[in-house]
Amino acid sequence: MKRVLGIIICCFVVATAYIAYVIAERQTALQKFARYNDSWAVGQTVSEYMRLEHRLAAYALGVEGVDRDEVRLRLDIMIGRAELLKQGNLRVFVEQDPQRRELLVKLANVLDMLDRELDALDTDRLKTILQSLAALDASMTSLASTAVEYDVALIDAAQEELRQLHLIYTGLAGGLILCGVVLVVLLLRHNRLLNRAHRKMKDLTDNLSEASGELKSQNSRLNHVAHHDALTGLPNRILFRQDLEARLQTALAGGPTALVFLLDLDGFKDVNDALGHDVGDGLLQAVAIRLTKLSREGDLVCRLGGDEFAILTAGLTEQEALDFARIIMDVVSLAYQISEREIKIGTCVGVALSNAHSGTDELFKHADLALYEAKSFGSAHACVFQSEMQTRLMEKKSFEADLRQALRKGELQVFYQPQVNTTTREIRGYEALMRWFHPVRGEVPPSEFIPVAENIGLIHELGGWVLRTACTEAVRWPRRLKVAVNLSPVQFRSRNLIQSVVAILSQSGLEPGRLELEITESVLLDKNEQTLDTLKELKAVGIQIAMDDFGTGYSSLGSLRSFPFDKIKIDRSFIRDITTRADAIAIVELVTGVARSLGMTTIAEGIETEEQFACVKQVGCDQVQGYLIGRPVPAAQLIHLRQIGHRFGSMEDEDLIDAQAVSGRM
């Protein structure tokens, strides 16, 4: 009996010890279950990272409702999440893999950089940081995925272990149920712990599923944002390029021809400036809707940026493409109702068709050239790319390059044409005219290179050079002779015009009263305070102001009362017909009379015959200029005026100018 009792006691001791061991093992398993919370924390960290990147991108794009404070809030949350990765079990998990450690270092660097620079970030720096954040997207997503896989494995192992422990518990309960209620109570307690652990595991599994779904949704949204325009919702330049590449591959494989329709809105900048960007945005959205409705099945309508749109299609002939382009122009040009305003706007269309050698960039460039060609004809024109457009573009670029080098190479010269008094036929001054002598192109007319110089921004340099050269040359002439220099409308709009003219007068030593600046009537298109102030400031210095080509542009007689002109140049188009048409001589007589009543000098340009000279003298024109008087010549050849003096009457010796050659032009 004692032996049996001893065995029973030993069994109780062993059972008690084993129960203690089992309890310890179950506590360890519960701790493993608790590890599952860390996986959820990693997932939340990645989710917060994506939210930060999205908010930063929206802030960079200027999306309404996203400001710097919101970005700062997301950044602080993300920094806190990143700190959790350095603590407890998460730190152990990260330290197990060198790549995870490296990722954590990069993440900390990017967040620290953003934290330090956020308040002073500009657009370019935002793009750089966004690129740094984007470079970690894949690694962060991989980290979340790895954490989930790692925890799922632990959960499976822990769950299997719990099952075994449950069996052991059940066996011990069955074997020791007769040994006491205490063992039963312990088993029930442990069962309750197990149930609680299962509930936690289920909740954690649901959270992980929700986080995974949110990550997928976030990735989908980011992908859409990356490939679509935020304002119109149309595909952007990235998707345009991808689709065009696919269409070209299909065309090369024997499929239908790929076509690019490129268009922008004529005068859109004026709409933005006059009515505001909100109206401009509404107009872009309305145009996008119309183009989308106009497109056929399989077409892709894109907004490439600003007011530039593109339509990708396939299978059209050149004539069908032109017909479709006309439809596009007709639809776009219909009136729009934007913010209770009626807006009308036009467009031009450039079309490019693929061939066996077309590449993505080449085809887009062809469409751009076709659009440029169409815009050269004015609004509501469409052009299909032809190889001649490429040739013309190359010639245009070559012309511009030669013009940029002309001044440096000494190809430009200043010629001078005399202006004489109609009554006495004495020379009163010279007009400085620019001439370009190219070694290959020969003499290039000013009507060809002056507009190009204005378009490429070279006119300021050329105009300043001509003015400086003319003033330097005029200092050597008799003091009663003036020099007239043309001002381009582009030059006149420069805010530094006054300072530049005054500086040149000071450097050359020419008296301001001997300088005459000629402006065209197109300057008067902007009848604003700046135009009037500029004219008044020039006159205040003592400079004479002349209106060139009067009667051919945009001015009216009323303009002569508003602007302080000293001289009016009657355009050669009236002088040419003055001997044959009564209306021409009537106009010259009218202009001369008005100018006289306003105290202005008149000069007729383009005098080529004695009959014309006699007519302008008869109507009272003060001065004349033209081939009859003298052709434009370099400064070194002004000695020829001695011959003109013999022809037109006696002239004093001071009228005979023997100036040295001055390299230049205007």
Side-chain angles (χ1 to χ4, degrees):
M1 195 63 185
K2 289 182 181 181
R3 182 177 297 176
V4 175
L5 183 58
I7 294 173
I8 293 173
I9 293 173
C10 289
C11 289
F12 269 104
V13 172
V14 172
T16 303
Y18 192 73
I19 288 174
Y21 169 77
V22 169
I23 291 173
E25 285 298 311
R26 289 179 178 175
Q27 293 296 332
T28 302
L30 290 175
Q31 291 178 0
K32 292 179 179 179
F33 286 149
R35 171 68 177 82
Y36 197 41
N37 286 323
D38 296 331
S39 174
W40 179 83
V42 173
Q44 286 296 100
T45 300
V46 175
S47 178
E48 288 296 335
Y49 176 82
M50 293 300 181
R51 290 192 184 97
L52 171 61
E53 187 176 7
H54 177 267
R55 290 295 185 274
L56 192 60
Y59 175 67
L61 292 173
V63 174
E64 184 178 355
V66 178
D67 55 14
R68 195 183 299 268
D69 292 337
E70 184 177 356
V71 174
R72 167 61 67 183
L73 174 62
R74 287 296 170 189
L75 176 60
D76 293 340
I77 294 174
M78 185 58 209
I79 292 174
R81 288 289 183 181
E83 289 297 322
L84 292 178
L85 297 178
K86 302 177 182 179
Q87 302 174 5
N89 293 328
L90 286 177
R91 179 176 181 180
V92 175
F93 169 71
V94 171
E95 293 292 332
Q96 287 178 351
D97 184 37
Q99 293 182 351
R100 297 173 196 159
R101 294 197 299 270
E102 182 180 359
L103 173 60
L104 192 60
V105 172
K106 291 180 179 179
L107 177 61
N109 291 339
V110 172
L111 293 178
D112 182 62
M113 177 175 60
L114 180 57
D115 185 36
R116 287 184 285 102
E117 299 181 11
L118 180 60
D119 293 335
L121 280 179
D122 56 18
T123 302
D124 292 337
R125 189 56 181 160
L126 273 172
K127 291 179 180 178
T128 302
I129 294 179
L130 280 172
Q131 290 174 357
S132 301
L133 290 172
L136 299 180
D137 286 350
S139 300
M140 291 296 292
T141 305
S142 176
L143 177 66
S145 177
T146 303
V148 172
E149 292 175 359
Y150 181 80
D151 284 344
V152 168
L154 289 179
I155 290 169
D156 290 342
Q159 189 173 17
E160 183 60 29
E161 184 179 354
L162 284 174
R163 291 194 189 96
Q164 295 176 0
L165 291 175
H166 183 70
L167 292 175
I168 295 173
Y169 270 54
T170 304
L172 286 174
L176 299 176
I177 193 171
L178 298 176
C179 299
V181 178
V182 177
L183 294 178
V184 176
V185 173
L186 289 175
L187 288 175
L188 292 175
R189 180 175 179 274
H190 282 292
N191 282 336
R192 286 196 300 271
L193 292 175
L194 287 175
N195 290 333
R196 188 183 303 167
H198 279 296
R199 286 195 299 272
K200 289 182 179 180
M201 182 178 64
K202 185 178 181 303
D203 293 341
L204 229 61
T205 302
D206 293 340
N207 290 337
L208 281 177
S209 298
E210 182 180 351
S212 178
E214 186 175 347
L215 286 176
K216 291 180 180 179
S217 176
Q218 186 73 9
N219 288 337
S220 178
R221 287 195 296 272
L222 289 175
N223 183 68
H224 184 275
V225 169
H227 293 87
H228 289 78
D229 173 52
L231 177 63
T232 63
L234 294 179
N236 61 11
R237 189 179 293 270
I238 298 175
L239 202 55
F240 166 82
R241 185 181 182 85
Q242 293 175 356
D243 189 86
L244 181 56
E245 288 177 352
R247 291 176 187 270
L248 288 178
Q249 291 295 329
T250 301
L252 290 175
T257 301
L259 291 93
V260 177
F261 291 80
L262 194 61
L263 62 143
D264 58 14
L265 306 181
D266 298 332
F268 177 74
K269 183 178 183 300
D270 295 335
V271 173
N272 255 353
D273 294 343
L275 304 179
H277 290 280
D278 290 341
V279 175
D281 290 346
L283 178 59
L284 291 175
Q285 291 170 337
V287 171
I289 293 173
R290 289 189 183 181
L291 292 177
T292 302
K293 292 180 179 179
L294 188 64
S295 62
R296 306 175 306 167
E297 183 178 358
D299 292 351
L300 185 71
V301 181
C302 306
R303 182 191 177 205
L304 303 182
D307 63 331
E308 189 176 25
F309 294 85
I311 299 178
L312 293 178
T313 186
L316 299 180
T317 65
E318 183 172 321
Q319 185 57 48
E320 290 172 339
L322 281 174
D323 293 340
F324 185 50
R326 294 188 185 97
I327 294 173
I328 292 174
M329 291 187 294
D330 291 341
V331 171
V332 171
S333 62
L334 296 175
Y336 299 84
Q337 286 295 135
I338 310 294
S339 298
E340 299 181 354
R341 297 175 182 268
E342 182 176 276
I343 300 175
K344 289 187 177 181
I345 198 163
T347 186
C348 291
V349 181
V351 186
L353 287 76
S354 67
N355 54 45
H357 308 290
S358 296
T360 304
D361 293 334
E362 182 183 12
L363 192 61
F364 180 77
K365 183 179 179 181
H366 289 173
D368 196 33
L369 285 173
L371 177 60
Y372 180 82
E373 183 81 5
K375 291 173 75 69
S376 68
F377 296 115
S379 185
H381 282 83
C383 288
V384 177
F385 172 78
Q386 305 293 337
S387 58
E388 295 82 4
M389 297 179 185
Q390 184 81 22
T391 304
R392 284 196 294 271
L393 177 65
M394 294 177 63
E395 172 60 24
K396 177 177 179 291
K397 295 300 182 184
S398 175
F399 189 89
E400 292 176 356
D402 289 347
L403 182 57
R404 292 183 187 276
Q405 297 296 323
L407 185 60
R408 183 180 62 83
K409 293 181 178 180
E411 297 171 2
L412 297 174
Q413 297 183 35
V414 176
F415 279 35
Y416 299 90
Q417 186 174 31
Q419 299 174 336
V420 303
N421 182 279
T422 309
T423 303
T424 65
R425 299 195 176 188
E426 294 181 352
I427 295 177
R428 294 306 181 191
Y430 296 91
E431 180 180 4
L433 302 168
M434 197 177 338
R435 295 292 183 265
W436 180 15
F437 298 93
H438 190 272
V440 177
R441 302 178 189 273
E443 183 176 357
V444 184
S447 59
E448 292 185 10
F449 69 82
I450 292 296
V452 174
E454 291 176 337
N455 289 335
I456 65 177
L458 190 63
I459 193 63
H460 297 287
E461 181 180 355
L462 296 183
W465 173 78
V466 170
L467 181 61
R468 188 178 300 105
T469 302
C471 289
T472 302
E473 182 61 38
V475 170
R476 307 172 186 175
W477 302 344
R479 298 187 62 179
R480 65 183 182 79
L481 295 181
K482 297 181 180 181
V483 62
V485 181
N486 291 282
L487 276 185
S488 163
V490 177
Q491 286 179 269
F492 191 83
R493 287 192 289 268
S494 172
R495 296 186 178 275
N496 299 323
L497 176 63
I498 304 297
Q499 296 87 333
S500 176
V501 173
V502 171
I504 290 174
L505 287 174
S506 176
Q507 293 168 6
S508 65
L510 182 69
E511 298 174 5
R514 295 180 60 196
L515 175 62
E516 188 175 278
L517 295 179
E518 297 185 2
I519 65 171
T520 61
E521 289 187 275
S522 60
V523 171
L524 301 182
L525 279 175
D526 299 324
K527 294 183 180 179
N528 52 36
E529 292 184 3
Q530 180 182 347
T531 301
L532 183 59
D533 290 344
T534 301
L535 290 171
K536 288 182 176 179
E537 289 180 27
L538 289 172
K539 287 209 65 175
V541 175
I543 298 170
Q544 302 290 299
I545 307 296
M547 179 188 288
D548 196 10
D549 302 331
F550 180 79
T552 63
Y554 312 93
S555 70
S556 64
L557 295 178
S559 301
L560 300 180
R561 297 177 61 247
S562 303
F563 293 89
F565 293 105
D566 298 287
K567 180 186 288 187
I568 297 175
K569 295 190 74 173
I570 304 173
D571 187 68
R572 66 181 65 247
S573 62
F574 300 110
I575 304 302
R576 182 177 59 246
D577 301 328
I578 196 172
T579 59
T580 59
R581 294 180 55 176
D583 57 348
I585 194 169
I587 292 175
V588 174
E589 188 174 10
L590 173 64
V591 173
T592 304
V594 171
R596 186 182 301 111
S597 65
L598 294 176
M600 300 178 184
T601 302
T602 54
I603 178 170
E605 59 179 353
I607 300 295
E608 298 181 356
T609 66
E610 289 287 354
E611 291 79 5
Q612 292 173 340
F613 183 87
C615 286
V616 297
K617 180 178 180 180
Q618 179 181 355
V619 299
C621 193
D622 300 307
Q623 298 179 9
V624 293
Q625 174 183 350
Y627 285 176
L628 178 67
I629 311 303
R631 292 177 177 270
V633 295
Q637 298 181 23
L638 294 181
I639 187 87
H640 83 291
L641 293 179
R642 184 187 305 275
Q643 300 171 356
I644 296 178
H646 290 220
R647 179 179 180 184
F648 284 95
S650 62
M651 300 177 60
E652 299 177 5
D653 291 340
E654 65 179 355
D655 291 329
L656 308 180
I657 311 303
D658 186 4
Q660 308 216 343
V662 178
S663 227
R665 113 120 212 119
M666 163 120 201

